[in-house]
């Protein structure tokens, strides 16, 4: 009974942590008008999640204090990397639309190439925030590491994407849940899997 109660208490503690962290992410994103707040907020969320996993003592510190410190430290750098990734994504979408409208064998080949490149961007972005806060290195090296990790750990990549898709449907049905668990659950799962995968590599 003691073990069961202890497990329930740990689970409840993590649910509360993820809910509070997600709320901080949402507030920061909205405070930055989304376009200026989403990327620093996401980087800060992953940094806090990774710190919780690698340094249990940090769980005793105030979550808001840890979060805001990370936001201030990464405000410019996170936005630059985030906008670069978004720009690449938009260019690939535009290429796919142009290729599809062109028609013919060449258009089909170009469309397939654009879709394949888009898929590579998606799987890279799945792991990019984790390696961003883990390595703190040049953006090019961080992107390359995330890309290689996604290819070498397909099961983890698939699981994270699958959970994100399922959650999107659940949040669509129950929008209020997005306020507390919209991104923190996927972030927590990503950090957990990537930290374990990287250590075992």
């Amino acid at each position: 009974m003691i073990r069961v109660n202890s497990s329930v208490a740990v689970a409840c503690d993590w649910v509360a942590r993820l809910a509070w962290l997600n709320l901080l992410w949402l507030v920061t994103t909205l405070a930055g008008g989304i376009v200026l707040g989403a990327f620093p907020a996401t980087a800060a969320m992953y940094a806090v999640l990774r710190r919780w996993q690698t340094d249990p003592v940090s769980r005793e510190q105030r979550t808001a204090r840890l979060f805001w410190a990370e936001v201030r430290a990464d405000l410019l750098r996170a936005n630059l990397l985030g906008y670069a990734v978004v720009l690449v994504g938009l260019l690939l979408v535009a290429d796919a639309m142009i290729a599809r409208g062109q028609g013919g064998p060449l258009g089909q080949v170009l469309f397939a190439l654009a879709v394949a490149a888009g898929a590579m961007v998606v799987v890279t972005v799945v792991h990019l925030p984790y390696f961003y806060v883990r390595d703190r290195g040049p953006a090019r090296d961080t992107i390359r590491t995330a890309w290689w990790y996604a290819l070498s750990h397909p099961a983890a990549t698939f699981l994270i994407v699958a959970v994100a898709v399922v959650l999107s449907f659940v949040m669509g049905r129950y929008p209020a849940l997005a306020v507390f668990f919209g991104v923190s659950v996927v972030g927590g799962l990503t950090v957990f899997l990537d930290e374990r995968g990287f250590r075992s590599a």
Side-chain angles (χ1 to χ4, degrees):
M1 180 64 70
I2 294 177
R3 182 175 300 177
V4 172
N5 290 338
S6 177
S7 299
V8 171
V10 170
C12 291
D13 178 65
W14 275 103
V15 168
R17 287 180 182 279
L18 292 175
W20 176 227
L21 188 59
N22 196 89
L23 189 58
L24 290 171
W25 177 89
L26 181 61
V27 170
T28 303
T29 298
L30 295 177
I34 300 178
V35 294
L36 295 178
F39 299 124
T42 301
M45 181 187 70
Y46 274 79
V48 172
L49 286 168
R50 183 173 183 269
R51 185 175 296 187
W52 282 347
Q53 183 164 335
T54 59
D55 181 18
V57 176
S58 66
R59 300 173 194 169
E60 304 301 323
Q61 302 177 25
R62 292 186 176 181
T63 301
R65 181 177 297 176
L66 293 175
F67 184 85
W68 295 125
E70 294 291 344
V71 169
R72 289 193 296 269
D74 271 336
L75 185 61
L76 178 61
R77 186 167 170 263
N79 272 323
L80 289 175
L81 179 58
Y83 288 132
V85 172
V86 170
L87 179 61
V88 171
L90 291 176
L91 289 175
L92 288 174
V93 170
D95 287 343
M97 294 177 64
I98 293 173
R100 187 158 190 173
Q102 191 173 25
L106 179 60
Q108 293 178 359
V109 171
L110 293 176
F111 178 76
L113 290 175
V115 171
M120 294 306 303
V121 171
V122 170
V123 298
T124 300
V125 168
V126 167
H127 302 282
L128 186 59
Y130 167 77
F131 286 101
Y132 174 85
V133 301
R134 182 190 183 278
D135 297 337
R136 303 288 184 178
R140 183 171 56 184
D141 294 342
T142 301
I143 294 172
R144 185 188 302 116
T145 302
W147 181 66
W148 276 111
Y149 188 88
L151 293 182
S152 60
H153 295 76
T157 303
F158 177 79
L159 178 59
I160 294 168
V161 172
V163 169
V165 171
V166 171
L167 280 178
S168 67
F169 281 106
V170 174
M171 302 299 177
R173 190 175 180 87
Y174 306 101
L177 291 176
V179 176
F180 300 101
F181 303 105
V183 295
S184 61
V185 172
V186 175
L189 176 64
T190 303
V191 171
F192 175 76
L193 293 177
D194 287 359
E195 191 68 29
R196 291 186 61 184
F198 197 84
R199 287 183 179 181
S200 62

